[in-house]
Amino acid sequence: MPPRRRLDLLEEVDADAEALQAELERRGYGPAQARRAALRQLVPGTETLAQLEAQHAPPLGRWARGTGWIDRVERLGILAATGLAGAVACITMIGSGPLGSAAVLAWPQVIVVALLAANWTRAATRLWIDGDLRPDLRRRLWERQVGLIVFAVALGALGASWEGYSAFEALDVEDFAMPAMWDAVGRIVSCAALGFGAAIFGLFGWLAITPRLIDDETMEHRISTFFASPVTPTSSRRR
């Protein structure tokens, strides 16, 4: 379940345990004995935890599990996002005109955009279907996203440099007219724009889920603090 709901349930169980512990202490139990008895009665067991997780899972995740699509949702989402991103990249590349010899670097941008979309889709699936993107997986996905963004910029810069070098060599040719020069400039700009466009796509896609990631990290920190806090007798807390 999402970390926010997990924290709410922890605090609710803890409040109930404190109330029961106080009542047991009033009946003559020692603080430690009262605490153990309260926890034995109120901390959910394995089956109850499974029911709570199912009850508090994201609505989209409950629907996917209910229809039996839970195993297909992520794969279909990745395929759809990859196909859409690749199609947009291809259309952009074709619409920008011929890229000359740098085409060998331009086409890999389609793969980079598709991988960026697939990586983002996996993170979004964990957040809004599974309800929880664990820190280790979150870190791996973010590192992968950064690496792909840097690779997209590098491909764009390399393609633009390649076209620029080819245009510079053509300056020595006598029939290198002004239209040819503008055509070379267009190819340079197209390569650079494709690379930076792919990078912006990957960056802003991740920024779109950042508020949810920040909220989850805050809740996880509060959960860690909750478990790290020392347990004190209720009589001491009342004083």
Side-chain angles (χ1 to χ4, degrees), residues 58-144:
L60 187 58
R62 292 200 299 268
W63 173 83
R65 289 182 179 88
T67 57
W69 278 63
I70 189 62
D71 296 329
R72 306 176 189 175
V73 166
E74 183 175 353
R75 291 195 295 268
L76 290 175
I78 289 175
L79 287 174
T82 301
L84 180 60
V88 171
C90 289
I91 292 171
T92 302
M93 222 169 33
I94 294 171
S96 63
L99 295 173
S101 56
V104 69
L105 295 175
W107 283 106
Q109 289 283 18
V110 177
I111 300 175
V112 172
V113 171
L115 290 175
L116 284 167
N119 196 62
W120 181 90
T121 302
R122 187 178 183 192
T125 301
R126 291 290 186 269
L127 289 173
W128 282 284
I129 294 181
D130 295 337
D132 188 15
L133 181 59
R134 292 306 171 100
D136 54 345
L137 179 58
R138 181 191 311 145
R139 184 169 52 253
R140 288 200 305 271
L141 292 177
W142 167 240
E143 291 172 353
R144 190 178 303 164

Side-chain angles (χ1 to χ4, degrees), residues 174-190:
E174 294 181 357
D175 61 348
F176 189 78
M178 186 62 68
M181 184 183 72
W182 284 113
D183 182 62
V185 170
R187 291 198 301 271
I188 294 172
V189 172
S190 296

Side-chain angles (χ1 to χ4, degrees), residues 156-223:
L158 186 58
S161 301
W162 190 343
E163 289 291 352
Y165 178 74
S166 301
F168 179 77
E169 282 189 329
L171 288 176
D172 297 333
V173 181
E174 294 181 357
D175 61 348
F176 189 78
M178 186 62 68
M181 184 183 72
W182 284 113
D183 182 62
V185 170
R187 291 198 301 271
I188 294 172
V189 172
S190 296
C191 288
L194 188 61
F196 283 102
I200 290 172
F201 166 77
L203 180 61
F204 278 86
W206 195 268
L207 288 177
I209 64 175
T210 297
R212 169 64 188 274
L213 294 176
I214 293 175
D215 183 72
D216 281 6
E217 287 183 0
T218 302
M219 295 302 106
E220 288 164 359
H221 178 71
R222 290 178 59 183
I223 290 172

